[in-house]
């Protein structure tokens, strides 16, 4: 069998309907690009409608295929149910789900803000982040995964993080001109959510195992998007490969996990972090 036929047989996603949460963000777009490159139909869910519709229009022009953006708050079960019903009426099935949505406090947003510190954590912020990153993933898995189980097949991917395996090294967020009690840190909520997604992955992988629904997680490292030079240098010192990821380096992993190439893989966690967690 030729390599082209092998690729199409094992990695093809022709006409498969894949729901992607956090669809208006950078990685939401990149997941959609990968799906379309292999013939699938990405359905992007988010509440940032302006950016979501821009991505929909842009990708449809590039690929001449069907990418759809739907405004959906994944913390609201009713909205997820309405989205499911709409997709079933249009496509008759749902083949995959990528739980990608998260509130990720970036370096620039926590710098100079001591509310990120554990002793100052705002409970409302904690609840909001848990609601999006963990509860939202559970609700989407519950709703879309159940439909997959009815059709005896489907794939769920949970997007965790290298910080789902290790604690954040708070030294890389340190501001040299700030007193210790006011130093910014990566909030506790992010680590808890990303660790929790790995637990959710294991649970889901055994829950519908007899219905053909597979579930795996990925633990990506940070993506370079022009961050502060000092922060980048401090972070890359912790990475054996000596650099952050670029925005396209997770595409192949997504295709592998969504496709039949990984059909004997479930309950696993793929670490793509440049070796950071090896140290």
């Amino acid at each position: 069998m030729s390599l082209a036929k092998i690729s199409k047989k094992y990695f093809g996603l022709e006409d498969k309907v894949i729901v992607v949460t956090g669809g208006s963000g950078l990685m939401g777009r990149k997941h959609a690009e990968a799906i379309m490159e292999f013939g699938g139909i990405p359905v992007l869910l988010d509440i940032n409608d302006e950016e979501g519709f821009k991505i929909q229009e842009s990708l449809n022009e590039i690929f001449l295929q069907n990418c759809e953006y739907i405004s959906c708050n994944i913390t609201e079960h009713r909205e997820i149910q309405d989205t499911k019903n709409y997709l079933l009426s249009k496509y008759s099935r749902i083949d995959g789900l990528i739980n990608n949505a998260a509130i990720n406090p970036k370096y620039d947003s926590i710098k100079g803000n001591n509310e990120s510190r554990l002793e100052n954590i705002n409970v409302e912020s904690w609840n909001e982040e848990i609601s999006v990153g963990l509860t939202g993933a559970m609700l989407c898995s519950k709703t879309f995964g159940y439909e997959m189980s009815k059709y005896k097949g489907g794939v769920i991917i949970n997007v965790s993080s290298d910080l789902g395996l290790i604690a954040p090294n708070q030294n890389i967020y340190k501001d040299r001109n700030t007193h210790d009690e006011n130093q910014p840190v990566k909030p506790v909520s992010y680590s808890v959510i990303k660790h929790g997604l790995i637990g959710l992955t294991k649970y889901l992988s055994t829950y519908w195992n007899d219905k053909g629904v597979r579930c795996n997680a990925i633990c990506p490292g940070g993506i370079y998007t022009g961050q502060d030079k000092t922060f980048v240098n401090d972070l890359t010192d912790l990475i054996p490969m000596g650099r952050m990821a670029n925005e396209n380096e997770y595409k192949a992993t997504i295709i592998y996990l969504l496709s039949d190439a990984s059909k004997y893989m479930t309950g696993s966690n793929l670490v793509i972090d440049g070796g950071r967690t090896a140290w």
Side-chain angles (χ1 to χ4, degrees):
M1 184 181 294
S2 69
L3 287 176
K5 289 183 179 179
I6 290 174
S7 177
K8 185 174 182 180
K9 178 180 178 181
Y10 292 108
F11 294 93
L13 299 175
E14 283 77 14
D15 299 323
K16 289 190 175 182
V17 179
I18 314 294
V19 176
V20 182
T21 70
S24 294
L26 172 63
M27 292 314 295
R29 178 186 177 114
K30 291 301 169 180
H31 298 331
E33 288 178 4
I35 292 165
M36 295 179 84
E37 286 167 6
F38 282 77
I41 302 169
V43 178
L44 306 180
L45 308 187
D46 211 308
I47 57 173
N48 184 349
D49 296 349
E50 181 178 0
E51 189 61 29
F53 285 117
K54 283 182 181 178
I55 293 173
Q56 172 186 281
E57 182 178 1
S58 172
L59 294 186
N60 285 337
E61 287 179 358
I62 293 170
F63 293 98
L64 302 177
Q65 293 172 222
N66 185 22
C67 169
E68 185 164 5
Y69 170 78
I70 299 174
S71 182
C72 178
N73 183 346
I74 64 165
T75 69
E76 297 291 339
H77 192 212
R78 182 69 262 168
E79 292 193 27
I80 300 172
Q81 290 276 22
D82 289 344
T83 299
K84 176 205 71 174
N85 292 336
Y86 165 75
L87 293 177
L88 291 177
S89 69
K90 183 172 182 177
Y91 298 107
S92 301
R93 70 189 191 286
I94 297 166
D95 301 295
L97 166 67
I98 303 177
N99 283 313
N100 173 71
I103 297 175
N104 182 9
K106 305 293 186 183
Y107 173 79
D108 290 340
S109 67
I110 64 175
K111 188 176 181 181
N113 177 11
N114 71 358
E115 290 183 4
S116 64
R117 299 188 62 81
L118 180 58
E119 57 269 31
N120 300 325
I121 195 75
N122 182 295
V123 174
E124 287 73 25
S125 296
W126 161 275
N127 288 338
E128 181 185 12
E129 292 173 28
I130 294 287
S131 181
V132 173
L134 197 52
T135 305
M138 181 276 291
L139 290 174
C140 286
S141 298
K142 164 189 173 178
T143 305
F144 300 120
Y146 180 55
E147 291 305 319
M148 295 181 215
S149 74
K150 292 179 182 179
Y151 291 91
K152 303 293 184 180
V155 177
I156 299 171
I157 300 174
N158 290 322
V159 180
S160 181
S161 166
D162 51 5
L163 298 184
L165 298 170
I166 57 174
N169 186 326
Q170 305 294 7
N171 290 319
I172 67 176
Y173 305 101
K174 187 170 289 186
D175 185 340
R176 274 75 173 172
N177 299 314
T178 300
H179 292 296
D180 286 348
E181 64 271 17
N182 291 319
Q183 284 291 344
V185 296
K186 193 74 169 182
V188 61
S189 50
Y190 189 78
S191 286
V192 170
I193 290 164
K194 295 306 183 181
H195 277 77
L197 285 172
I198 294 175
L200 179 64
T201 298
K202 294 178 180 180
Y203 185 93
L204 292 173
S205 70
T206 59
Y207 190 77
W208 285 309
N209 59 295
D210 60 337
K211 305 294 185 182
V213 179
R214 299 187 294 111
C215 182
N216 293 291
I218 65 170
C219 281
I223 298 171
Y224 180 71
T225 56
Q227 292 95 327
D228 178 87
K229 184 176 180 180
T230 300
F231 168 77
V232 172
N233 289 338
D234 289 345
L235 174 57
T236 53
D237 282 345
L238 303 175
I239 301 172
M241 291 186 71
R243 66 175 179 85
M244 299 177 71
N246 75 55
E247 61 187 22
N248 291 308
E249 288 187 301
Y250 300 114
K251 284 185 173 183
T253 302
I254 291 296
I255 295 305
Y256 172 68
L257 291 178
L258 286 175
S259 69
D260 284 346
S262 62
K263 65 182 179 180
Y264 191 57
M265 183 175 180
T266 194
S268 295
N269 177 36
L270 284 181
V271 183
I272 318 106
D273 65 352
R276 181 181 180 184
T277 55
W279 268 345

